Amino acid sequence: DYTENGLIFGTITFPEEKMRFDNYNFSVNFNTNDTKLRRKYSNNLRIDPTMFVGKHYGELDGGRTYLFVLEKPPGKYDIASLKFTIFKLFDASPSFTTVTGFSIPFQVNKGEITYVGNIKVNEYAINSERIIAIEDQYERDKNALKNLYKMVNWDLALKSELKLTHPFAEERISNN
């Protein structure tokens, strides 16, 4: 029952079936000046492909595209960073690469279902190629979720602006 909150949905697509990293962690940020509420309502959208198989296993596009649905309290949000992780065999410390410098803003309204887009992740980007892009696959994504979550009335779903901004003019990559 999402009547007090709202639902967001979308997809994440990778360019190749072969995965480059062991997991992918998108930060979903609640935009408020209230630190407690920001911590409470922000979370991560995590994708964990099968590490030992070495390929993506999403629900669409031959495994390259993953569906997601999140229930969120009403408010303004954005997806503004992505952390790639590589787990090293026989080493307890994984390595991280974080991509920032982009923002996918969206609004969650009480009782509404909002499409935030198909987030394309070019994990093989080189030089100045963009890592994050967004496109409209609304009908495809909504229909795929209709089959999985039959108790939700997907015909009431709305499209957000499908906006991607780069506030710093370029994406930033840092290795930890």
Side-chain angles (χ1 to χ4, degrees), residues 28-46:
V28 180
N29 305 310
F30 182 62
N31 296 325
T32 180
N33 292 328
D34 185 324
T35 307
K36 284 184 181 180
L37 286 178
R38 187 172 47 246
R39 254 184 284 176
K40 182 177 180 179
Y41 296 140
S42 296
N43 65 347
N44 291 316
L45 176 58
R46 185 175 164 147

Side-chain angles (χ1 to χ4, degrees), residues 70-82:
L70 295 172
E71 181 178 348
K72 305 297 285 174
K76 293 183 183 213
Y77 293 82
D78 73 343
I79 298 171
S81 71
L82 167 60

Side-chain angles (χ1 to χ4, degrees), residues 44-150:
N44 291 316
L45 176 58
R46 185 175 164 147
I47 295 175
D48 291 309
T50 307
M51 188 167 74
F52 297 109
V53 174
K55 68 179 195 173
H56 289 288
Y57 66 95
E59 296 83 2
L60 303 171
D61 298 330
R64 296 182 308 109
T65 299
Y66 296 83
L67 299 163
F68 68 86
V69 179
L70 295 172
E71 181 178 348
K72 305 297 285 174
K76 293 183 183 213
Y77 293 82
D78 73 343
I79 298 171
S81 71
L82 167 60
K83 185 188 297 184
F84 300 115
T85 307
I86 295 177
F87 297 107
K88 301 172 190 167
L89 207 54
F90 308 115
D91 188 348
S93 59
S95 66
F96 301 102
T97 300
T98 305
V99 179
T100 58
F102 70 93
S103 175
I104 302 170
F106 56 91
Q107 174 80 31
V108 174
N109 296 313
K110 181 178 174 179
E112 291 185 3
I113 306 166
T114 305
Y115 178 65
V116 298
N118 176 31
I119 303 167
K120 299 184 82 165
V121 179
N122 183 2
E123 62 188 318
Y124 293 100
I126 55 172
N127 300 329
S128 61
E129 288 181 332
R130 292 263 190 227
I131 297 169
I132 304 296
I134 192 165
E135 70 177 14
D136 184 353
Q137 291 288 338
Y138 175 74
E139 289 299 328
R140 178 201 71 176
D141 297 347
K142 181 177 78 165
N143 289 331
L145 285 164
K146 268 185 183 180
N147 294 328
L148 291 174
Y149 299 100
K150 296 181 188 314

Side-chain angles (χ1 to χ4, degrees), residues 18-29:
K18 182 179 177 358
M19 63 187 220
R20 181 172 176 198
F21 298 96
D22 297 322
N23 80 28
Y24 306 82
N25 221 344
F26 290 87
S27 65
V28 180
N29 305 310

